[in-house]
Amino acid sequence: MVMEVIIIGIIFGSIFGVFYLYYSTRNKERLALIEKGADASIFMKGKQHITPIWKVLILNFALLLMGIGLGIIIGGIVKENLNVDAEIAMPGTIFLFAGLGLFFGFNMSKNLDKD
């Protein structure tokens, strides 16, 4: 029982340490840039979204669901025609086409930002 508590404490402590170092270092870097006369607007360049986030989420979610549906259909075809076990064909094709759907969604989201 004691080992589990120690391990959980180490895990959460490590996560806290990483975030603390990241934010404290970022804060020190920004303060140093401001002291040297850099404009504060350089910190906001990455925060501007051209495309609303809800459009990107809906696009990715729709392509994910289409990929899962296509994976089920192709998995059934592979199972019936190639005599592959259902335990192998179905999850394999579902994950493959779901991943392809997310990949295409990522690429389409990049194209939305360009327009």
Side-chain angles (χ1 to χ4, degrees):
M1 178 69 179
V2 175
M3 282 305 275
E4 290 86 2
V5 173
I6 292 172
I7 291 172
I8 291 173
I10 290 172
I11 290 171
F12 283 117
S14 299
I15 293 170
F16 172 77
V18 167
F19 281 106
Y20 176 77
L21 285 174
Y22 173 74
Y23 286 114
S24 65
T25 304
R26 187 178 74 166
N27 188 31
K28 289 177 186 176
E29 289 174 350
R30 288 180 176 191
L31 286 175
L33 284 171
I34 291 172
E35 285 177 3
K36 292 187 179 184
D39 188 20
S41 66
I42 64 172
F43 304 125
M44 298 298 177
K45 285 183 181 175
K47 303 217 184 224
Q48 297 173 353
H49 294 288
I50 298 169
T51 305
I53 193 70
W54 64 270
K55 287 184 180 179
V56 174
L57 288 174
I58 289 175
L59 176 68
N60 284 327
F61 190 63
L63 287 170
L64 174 66
L65 292 179
M66 285 190 286
I68 290 172
L70 188 61
I72 292 171
I73 292 169
I74 301 296
I77 292 170
V78 167
K79 183 183 78 149
E80 292 297 321
N81 293 338
L82 299 178
N83 296 326
V84 179
D85 290 337
E87 292 84 19
I88 297 171
M90 295 304 281
T93 55
I94 291 170
F95 285 127
L96 175 69
F97 284 101
L100 286 173
L102 288 174
F103 178 73
F104 288 132
F106 173 74
N107 286 332
M108 291 174 76
S109 298
K110 286 194 314 188
N111 292 338
L112 284 176
D113 285 338
K114 289 179 185 176
D115 294 338

